[in-house]
């Protein structure tokens, strides 16, 4: 049975690459959207935020973005203003955001994707930093 998984992905991000690897380790080839090249439409971004059960502020990325320059740390800013900023500067959208038949989730840390994968891992997975994820439990394997 084919499973449709969509990953809003930045190939420069290690966490995002690890999430894609974990999805593939479950035998699923995800549909990858490089959101910096093809940002989601505003209506879709709103829908993804709602389906993930988060607020726009929860999806904001600070590191390596114009977050501070735009004054996005101002807690009085409305959700609409934050969405406006993300539409104007897609780098502000945190990643990876994953859509599966089991839900939508911002997958940080990368193991969070295991909560919404409809298929089990096919074997142990080693993240780019060398940390291992147990296939059966979806848990980090402590280093020896």
């Amino acid at each position: 049975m084919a499973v449709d998984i969509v990953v809003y992905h930045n190939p420069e991000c290690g966490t995002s690459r690890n999430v894609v690897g974990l999805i593939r380790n479950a035998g699923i080839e995800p549909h990858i959207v490089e959101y910096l090249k093809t940002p989601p439409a505003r209506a879709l971004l709103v829908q993804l935020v709602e389906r993930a059960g988060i607020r726009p502020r929860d999806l904001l990325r600070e590191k390596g973005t114009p977050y501070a320059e735009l004054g996005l740390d101002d807690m009085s800013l409305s959700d609409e203003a934050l969405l406006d900023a993300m539409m104007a500067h897609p780098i502000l959208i945190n990643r990876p955001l994953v859509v599966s038949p089991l839900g939508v989730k911002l997958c940080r840390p990368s193991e969070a994707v295991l909560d919404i994968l409809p298929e089990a891992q096919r074997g142990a997975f080693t993240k780019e930093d060398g940390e291992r994820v147990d296939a059966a439990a979806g848990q980090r394997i402590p280093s020896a």
Side-chain angles (χ1 to χ4, degrees):
M1 178 170 116
V3 176
D4 192 24
I5 304 278
V6 177
V7 180
Y8 291 89
H9 176 63
N10 179 348
E12 300 298 316
C13 172
T15 300
S16 197
R17 290 190 304 269
N18 284 325
V19 164
V20 169
L22 284 162
I23 295 168
R24 288 178 173 151
N25 196 46
I28 302 166
E29 184 56 38
H31 175 77
I32 295 174
V33 176
E34 288 189 35
Y35 71 95
L36 295 177
K37 293 179 181 176
T38 310
R42 184 188 183 95
L44 177 57
L45 186 60
V46 168
Q47 182 185 66
L48 292 170
V49 166
E50 289 173 357
R51 289 181 60 199
I54 60 176
R55 299 190 48 129
R57 182 164 295 283
D58 300 325
L59 191 59
L60 272 176
R61 180 168 177 82
E62 294 179 37
K63 184 179 171 186
T65 73
Y67 177 90
E69 295 84 18
L70 295 172
L72 298 177
D73 56 345
D74 179 351
M75 297 311 249
S76 70
L77 289 173
S78 68
D79 287 350
E80 293 302 315
L82 299 176
L83 288 164
D84 289 343
M86 285 187 262
M87 295 310 304
H89 306 277
I91 192 72
L92 288 165
I93 301 170
N94 212 341
R95 75 282 181 159
L97 193 60
V98 178
V99 181
S100 92
L102 301 180
V104 176
K105 190 168 188 113
L106 176 60
C107 294
R108 300 188 74 81
S110 54
E111 293 88 341
V113 74
L114 299 173
D115 296 339
I116 61 168
L117 286 182
E119 302 292 333
Q121 295 289 287
R122 293 185 170 181
F125 179 81
T126 302
K127 295 178 7 177
E128 289 183 5
D129 66 1
E131 183 178 27
R132 294 193 47 194
V133 177
D134 180 318
Q139 301 293 323
R140 294 182 185 113
I141 299 173
S143 335

